[in-house]
Amino acid sequence: MQEPDHHDLSDDSDYAASQQQGLGKSTFRSDSGKFGAGGDGGVWEVVYFRENVAIHPTQYSSERISGRLRLIKQGDALFMTWIPYKAGQSGVDPARYGENSSLSEKDQNLYTIRDLPLEDVHSIRRHTPALGWQYIIVVLLSGLAYPPLYFYNSGVREFLSTIKQHAFIARSSDDANVFLVNNFQDPLQKTLSSLELHGVASIANATSHISFGSVSSNQDINRGSSSNSEYSGKPRKRIQDPARDISIQVLEKFSLVTKFARETTTQLFRESQNNGFNNYGKIQKNEDAPSKSSVAPDHKIEANIHNVPVPTDPLKNELSLIWGKPRKLPMGLEEWNIFLDPEGRIMDPVALKKRIFYGGVQNGLRKEVWKFLLGYFSYNSTYAEREYLSSVKKKNYETIKFQWQSISPDQAKMFTKFRERKGLIEKDVVRTDRSMSFYDGDENKNVELLRDVLLTYSFYNFDLGYCQGMSDFLSPILFVIEDESESFWCFAALMQRLGSNFNRDQSGMHAQLFALSKLVEILDCPLHNYLKQADCLNYFFCFRWILIQFKREFEYDQIMLLWEVLWTHYFSEHFHLYICVAILKKYRQKIIGEQMDFDTLLKFINELSCGIDLDETIRDAEALCNCAGENGEACIPPGTPPSLPIETPMMYQQDDEDDFGKSGCI
């Protein structure tokens, strides 16, 4: 199918300039073209090559990982690779390109992009700031994105020009800096980007992919070392009721593209399932995967796999000494009043947060307490100040809400972003927690409130807008607060931190998954090593846990309790990561013993939903947090999103009886 004229890149000034400068196909080949044979006998060719393309793993511009970016052609297929430099790599000038001398092997593997087929790319966003370096963000059909790639030696326009020569690419009509890839291919291919369709893996599987191997020394491509491989994914059956909310679909779409989303450890395209080995023995696919009903409540899943010896948990003895404190009953009204002075101030916020951490809050009291935990009210505010603030905030909310309510139908026709967000929100809210009586039934007023608050937030924070999964967070807040304006401001405060979970470049999610990998490494090194061998070191199987803060893993009343615990920040602002570690350690015997690979592990993790003991998990996470101590906090990069903003940079100190926990055992 031919591209419409108004989408053709020939009207792009960068593209035109590159053609005028002779940066066409022949130039790329003369500069960097390499030829060789793939594992299946096909001829591959490097059609684009650029040195000193870097990523920034933290928010500090001085910390960067430099490498080589390539576009590789084989037959009609185009692949993209980005391989970071190794320390002391031959042919690399450290003064010019940097040598990544402080980069560990596991960090190098974490960010490597190997053999990404362009047919699996949805779009490429180009950023050309007035000051600073140009960079691109490659977004996959799943909605996930690789970290931004910074071009320190220029080359963005040449990169796009090369893709133009070998694949369909068109400028987005909504954003001139977004280039859609494969947008005009077969209509079935277009459906891959939809979050509402299943079976996308079967379409992606239609084409086999090659592996171009790893890069070492001064060799650009390891000739003759490529191996045939192909996606082994299958259309997955929906585990949950499709009428339940949209967040499960986010992970489902992710799970269908796991094979090419892996930016970690060894080759992205592995050898055939039946021939794959690792250091722990042969990985065997369990075609008869356990059902959800077999997981809960005792989690005893029978599998047709021979168990192998599992390394002992290195913290088994230490954890028994610092086991988390017993859980208490939820705090009630009488106990709550003890924390208030006559004018309504919270006299001891730390003691209050400690009490909530160990027991939560009774349902009837949550409406008041959550406003403090979520930052709507200050702990030092009085009754009178809170009453005045509520009236002011309500007026502010109505002003913001009126911005979208006043848009006429004629205006909406010329406001594409508004139409898109409104349509997505209306589509999501009718499937969010509809099993709850609060949201059940046709023409439910609470569903309308859910829509109104989300639409208003999309105008309040227009840059972030609305993303699938946000309704998951707002639903319990609206259920508890039961006031439109106050629910909005509580939700807005929550998004101050969790908003980065929904960044298009997935920077917030990548940071948290990276921090999780570091925590597992120091708290259970054998498990970490196994996940590395099994190509699971990206921890994408925990994606749903972190994205929506375990919303799908626990029942509604339990998730409200867990969120209260996380919002206290009593032990750590990253306590949700210790919850992840606690769950993984609980099932380490099964994960290692049954030699789970990525897809099997992802399916297993999904099927734990509503079968996890929450109180036990919180106690385990507390013990792990105590055991990790300062080492645990130090391994989490600065800027990694916590659950909520905290009022002071100081961690809440525990009582003297917890001195052992503060020192840490690692």
Side-chain angles (χ1 to χ4, degrees):
M1 183 174 179
Q2 296 297 321
E3 301 171 67
D5 292 340
H6 65 277
H7 281 301
D8 194 278
L9 274 186
S10 60
D11 66 351
D12 184 353
S13 59
D14 281 348
Y15 175 73
S18 69
Q19 299 304 302
Q20 293 172 4
Q21 294 177 15
L23 296 173
K25 183 175 181 179
S26 60
T27 301
F28 292 129
R29 288 185 175 181
S30 63
D31 286 348
S32 55
K34 305 287 182 181
F35 294 86
D40 59 354
V43 177
W44 51 258
E45 174 190 1
V46 178
V47 294
Y48 175 85
F49 177 91
R50 183 66 57 174
E51 295 279 8
N52 203 21
V53 177
I55 65 170
H56 292 275
T58 71
Q59 73 272 33
Y60 301 110
S61 60
S62 60
E63 298 182 11
R64 80 185 198 197
I65 302 175
S66 299
R68 293 189 177 104
L69 178 67
R70 294 180 178 83
L71 290 173
I72 301 174
K73 183 77 178 296
Q74 187 193 37
D76 294 331
L78 187 67
F79 299 82
M80 186 185 87
T81 68
W82 180 82
I83 310 296
Y85 300 136
K86 294 181 179 179
Q89 181 172 331
S90 175
V92 176
D93 181 3
R96 184 177 181 184
Y97 301 136
E99 58 180 10
N100 299 340
S101 58
S102 62
L103 183 64
S104 65
E105 181 180 355
K106 56 180 176 293
D107 288 341
Q108 174 177 323
N109 289 330
L110 180 64
Y111 293 106
T112 298
I113 302 174
R114 298 185 186 275
D115 313 341
L116 172 65
L118 263 291
E119 68 178 17
D120 294 334
V121 175
H122 172 266
S123 61
I124 299 172
R125 174 177 286 274
R126 175 186 62 182
H127 293 259
T128 54
L131 298 175
W133 307 103
Q134 293 186 355
Y135 63 95
I136 62 171
I137 297 175
V138 177
V139 181
L140 301 177
L141 293 170
S142 63
L144 297 175
Y146 286 102
L149 293 168
Y150 288 82
F151 288 68
Y152 279 84
N153 288 347
S154 69
V156 171
R157 65 187 180 190
E158 296 94 330
F159 176 80
L160 294 172
S161 298
T162 304
I163 295 178
K164 167 69 176 177
Q165 297 167 25
H166 301 284
F168 288 105
I169 182 172
R171 187 191 297 275
S172 170
S173 60
D174 297 329
D175 189 334
N177 286 314
V178 174
F179 298 89
L180 305 176
V181 182
N182 300 313
N183 193 50
F184 302 100
Q185 291 187 355
D186 187 278
L188 287 177
Q189 181 70 20
K190 295 173 65 175
T191 66
L192 293 174
S193 62
S194 172
L195 288 175
E196 296 305 314
L197 298 178
H198 293 278
V200 297
S202 61
I203 301 175
N205 289 345
T207 304
S208 297
H209 302 291
I210 63 169
S211 173
F212 298 104
S214 57
V215 179
S216 60
S217 302
N218 59 352
Q219 296 178 341
D220 295 315
I221 302 290
N222 285 339
R223 296 178 172 84
S225 63
S226 302
S227 60
N228 294 331
S229 65
E230 61 179 83
Y231 294 135
S232 58
K234 299 179 180 179
R236 298 182 182 273
K237 294 182 179 179
R238 184 183 295 276
I239 301 300
Q240 308 251 354
D241 182 351
R244 300 181 74 177
D245 70 44
I246 194 69
S247 61
I248 182 66
Q249 298 182 28
V250 175
L251 185 72
E252 285 176 347
K253 296 308 135 192
F254 161 76
S255 68
L256 292 173
V257 293
T258 53
K259 291 298 182 186
F260 67 81
R262 299 174 188 174
E263 54 185 36
T264 61
T265 58
T266 57
Q267 294 181 2
L268 176 66
F269 300 107
R270 298 160 48 195
E271 296 183 353
S272 176
Q273 300 176 34
N274 298 328
N275 296 323
F277 291 83
N278 62 20
N279 292 348
Y280 287 86
K282 187 174 182 179
I283 297 179
Q284 302 182 20
K285 282 284 188 181
N286 177 18
E287 297 298 338
D288 298 323
S291 64
K292 178 180 173 181
S293 60
S294 66
V295 177
D298 58 3
H299 314 295
K300 295 180 179 179
I301 303 176
E302 297 296 332
N304 298 321
I305 300 177
H306 297 290
N307 289 348
V308 299
V310 178
T312 303
D313 187 343
L315 297 182
K316 183 175 181 180
N317 296 330
E318 287 84 349
L319 291 179
S320 64
L321 297 175
I322 55 172
W323 187 257
K325 293 181 180 179
R327 306 295 298 165
K328 298 181 180 180
L329 293 174
M331 180 178 64
L333 179 60
E334 183 176 350
E335 189 175 1
W336 162 251
N337 288 330
I338 297 176
F339 288 97
L340 302 175
D341 70 10
E343 294 183 338
R345 300 181 184 87
I346 306 295
M347 294 182 291
D348 192 344
V350 175
L352 173 63
K353 293 173 183 178
K354 178 180 179 180
R355 175 64 183 89
I356 296 173
F357 179 89
Y358 284 107
V361 181
Q362 288 184 355
N363 283 329
L365 190 58
R366 283 186 168 128
K367 182 176 183 179
E368 186 170 359
V369 177
W370 276 27
K371 296 173 189 177
F372 291 93
L373 292 177
L374 289 164
Y376 179 67
F377 289 146
S378 167
Y379 289 98
N380 197 41
S381 62
T382 64
Y383 293 124
E385 290 170 343
R386 293 196 287 270
E387 183 178 0
Y388 173 74
L389 177 65
S390 294
S391 64
V392 173
K393 288 287 189 180
K394 185 174 183 178
K395 292 179 181 179
N396 291 342
Y397 173 75
E398 294 297 336
T399 299
I400 303 170
K401 183 178 180 180
F402 184 73
Q403 292 176 6
W404 64 264
Q405 286 183 322
S406 61
I407 296 176
S408 68
D410 289 338
Q411 285 179 298
K413 293 178 181 178
M414 299 177 288
F415 198 167
T416 303
K417 188 66 68 176
F418 170 69
R419 296 197 313 271
E420 290 178 349
R421 290 178 175 177
K422 185 174 183 289
L424 184 58
I425 290 172
E426 291 176 343
K427 189 177 184 180
D428 285 359
V429 295
V430 297
R431 290 182 290 185
T432 300
D433 295 331
R434 295 308 293 272
S435 60
M436 294 285 297
S437 59
F438 188 77
Y439 295 109
D440 190 22
D442 297 332
E443 299 182 358
N444 188 304
K445 296 297 183 182
N446 295 318
V447 175
E448 294 180 10
L449 288 179
L450 200 65
R451 179 206 62 186
D452 289 354
V453 172
L454 291 171
L455 265 173
T456 305
Y457 181 77
S458 72
F459 271 70
Y460 174 73
N461 186 347
F462 201 82
D463 287 342
L464 182 59
Y466 174 78
C467 300
Q468 289 179 328
M470 288 184 177
S471 59
D472 279 280
F473 288 112
L474 178 58
S475 171
I477 293 175
L478 184 59
F479 171 76
V480 168
I481 302 299
E482 297 182 306
D483 179 87
E484 183 178 357
S485 171
E486 292 181 340
S487 295
F488 169 83
W489 292 112
C490 288
F491 174 75
L494 182 64
M495 287 298 104
Q496 287 181 11
R497 285 297 184 178
L498 294 186
S500 60
N501 283 11
F502 303 101
N503 286 347
R504 189 64 176 171
D505 62 3
Q506 292 291 325
S507 57
M509 290 299 301
H510 280 294
Q512 291 172 88
L513 291 170
F514 179 78
L516 175 59
S517 72
K518 295 293 187 180
L519 288 176
V520 173
E521 184 176 11
I522 68 171
L523 292 168
D524 196 336
C525 192
L527 176 59
H528 173 85
N529 291 337
Y530 170 75
L531 294 175
K532 179 179 180 180
Q533 295 293 335
D535 253 2
C536 300
L537 205 57
N538 51 30
Y539 287 81
F540 277 171
F541 49 87
C542 298
F543 191 91
R544 182 178 72 186
W545 292 356
I546 295 175
L547 179 69
I548 52 177
Q549 297 279 279
F550 307 96
K551 176 76 183 305
R552 292 267 56 84
E553 318 316 316
F554 299 98
E555 298 292 351
Y556 209 77
D557 59 336
Q558 290 182 313
I559 199 61
M560 291 190 290
L561 171 60
L562 175 58
W563 285 2
E564 291 167 352
V565 169
L566 298 180
W567 295 344
T568 63
H569 290 163
Y570 181 67
F571 273 91
S572 168
E573 60 182 335
H574 302 106
F575 194 74
H576 64 297
L577 298 180
Y578 290 96
I579 294 286
C580 294
V581 179
I583 299 174
L584 292 175
K585 286 180 70 67
K586 178 177 177 60
Y587 296 102
R588 68 188 303 277
Q589 187 81 17
K590 177 175 286 294
I591 293 171
I592 301 176
E594 296 184 2
Q595 295 287 275
M596 293 184 182
D597 66 357
F598 186 91
D599 292 335
T600 306
L601 179 55
L602 178 64
K603 180 174 174 54
F604 173 74
I605 291 296
N606 285 351
E607 292 172 351
L608 292 177
S609 177
C610 299
I612 303 173
D613 187 318
L614 178 59
D615 285 346
E616 179 182 348
T617 301
I618 294 176
R619 290 198 303 269
D620 289 348
E622 178 188 348
L624 290 168
C625 189
N626 276 330
C627 194
E630 294 181 355
N631 290 331
E633 292 301 316
C635 77
I636 300 176
T640 299
S643 296
L644 274 176
I646 54 178
E647 294 186 341
T648 68
M650 300 295 293
M651 283 298 156
Y652 303 120
Q653 300 296 326
Q654 302 181 68
D655 298 334
D656 293 338
E657 59 185 301
D658 295 326
D659 286 342
F660 178 78
K662 284 189 287 187
S663 62
C665 60
I666 293 179

